[in-house]
Amino acid sequence: MSNPSPVIIEPNRPANASVIWLHGLGADGYDFAEVLPSLNLPDDHGVRFVFPHAPIQPVTINGGMTMRSWFDIRSMDLVNDVDSAGIRVSCHQVYKLIAQQRDSGIAEQRIVLAGFSQGGLIALHAGLSYDHALAGVMALSTWCPLVEQFYLHRQMPIFIAHGQQDPVIPFALGAQARDDLIAKGYNVAWQDYPMHHQVCVAELTAIGQWLSQVLALRSEEDSTNSEEA
């Protein structure tokens, strides 16, 4: 059975930027579609949001149960027992999504890759291995094994956020991803929150501010004040 088309939410004006947002293990493309109002983006922001669905496949750590998954989770050793082949396959799926946005008229430097948990790992791996620098990468409640392979796009903005009490992806793994990327010279903005494996209101506000910054979004009021100055 073919994978369904992504959930796409168009802005109120013609799109001039895109955010491709990948869900976590066992969820689907609808998972984050409802949080967009909480980002508090300007009404005229022009950002298209694309929420793809991971393929349905067996997940070893869940007894081989089939579910939407970007790659296999084989054990609790999330750093050393890594499905690198599955990660590569999903990265190529993301490259195709980027190409679709590019073909629709959105420049690569106006595309953000985002993801939560397993999807955040793919966003990092795809964004840091893609041929061209994107507007940025947003990785929520995730981890980043195989960081030694990254060397591209060190100036590209990266936003990483994690829950301090996360029982699924331990906080230490999120902090390690931050530290490893900074050590390699990457431009990382970090936030952490008193929460579990989830998102919170303060985090969504920070995400909206970061997106506004990397995509240079301005509200009508900001634009008017700039013109008057």
Side-chain angles (χ1 to χ4, degrees):
M1 186 172 68
S2 61
N3 215 31
S5 298
V7 178
I8 297 178
I9 299 180
E10 296 284 356
N12 294 326
R13 54 177 286 191
N16 59 28
S18 296
V19 175
I20 301 171
W21 196 324
L22 312 178
H23 62 76
L25 178 67
D28 61 25
Y30 293 96
D31 198 33
F32 283 94
E34 294 183 356
V35 309
L36 299 189
S38 298
L39 302 182
N40 297 315
L41 298 179
D43 291 337
D44 60 345
H45 59 69
V47 181
R48 173 187 297 132
F49 284 87
V50 180
F51 299 98
H53 307 278
I56 296 174
Q57 55 187 325
V59 176
T60 301
I61 202 170
N62 288 339
M65 183 184 302
T66 58
M67 60 187 64
R68 293 204 178 277
S69 177
W70 298 107
F71 54 91
D72 192 19
I73 307 269
R74 298 190 291 227
S75 73
M76 293 299 294
D77 186 353
L78 299 177
V79 175
N80 298 302
D81 190 6
V82 182
D83 178 17
S84 55
I87 291 171
R88 284 195 299 272
V89 169
S90 283
C91 284
H92 281 281
Q93 292 173 339
V94 172
Y95 301 155
K96 291 178 182 178
L97 292 169
I98 293 172
Q100 289 171 3
Q101 293 307 302
R102 188 185 61 223
D103 292 346
S104 77
I106 307 296
E108 288 161 329
Q109 63 268 26
R110 299 285 296 163
I111 297 174
V112 169
L113 289 185
F116 176 81
S117 192
Q118 199 189 44
L121 185 154
I122 296 299
L124 283 169
H125 276 252
L128 297 179
S129 61
Y130 187 63
D131 289 341
H132 303 283
L134 304 173
V137 175
M138 179 176 75
L140 311 177
S141 301
T142 193
W143 76 112
C144 190
L146 310 174
V147 71
E148 65 277 1
Q149 69 185 335
F150 300 136
Y151 62 92
L152 298 173
H153 318 316
R154 286 192 171 92
Q155 297 306 309
M156 183 173 64
I158 300 172
F159 178 93
I160 301 178
H162 214 99
Q164 296 160 2
Q165 292 93 40
D166 192 332
V168 179
I169 310 297
F171 178 79
L173 291 186
Q176 181 180 337
R178 171 201 64 198
D179 294 344
D180 288 347
L181 289 169
I182 290 174
K184 287 184 70 69
Y186 281 99
N187 177 19
V188 178
W190 165 266
Q191 296 283 340
D192 56 78
Y193 302 92
M195 64 180 185
H196 294 124
H197 196 61
Q198 61 191 108
V199 295
C200 64
V201 173
E203 181 182 17
L204 292 172
T205 298
I207 289 169
Q209 292 170 346
W210 181 81
L211 286 174
S212 293
Q213 180 181 2
V214 299
L215 294 174
L217 305 179
R218 294 189 302 173
S219 66
E220 271 187 35
E221 180 180 353
D222 291 339
S223 180
T224 299
N225 291 341
S226 176
E227 290 171 2
E228 289 175 352

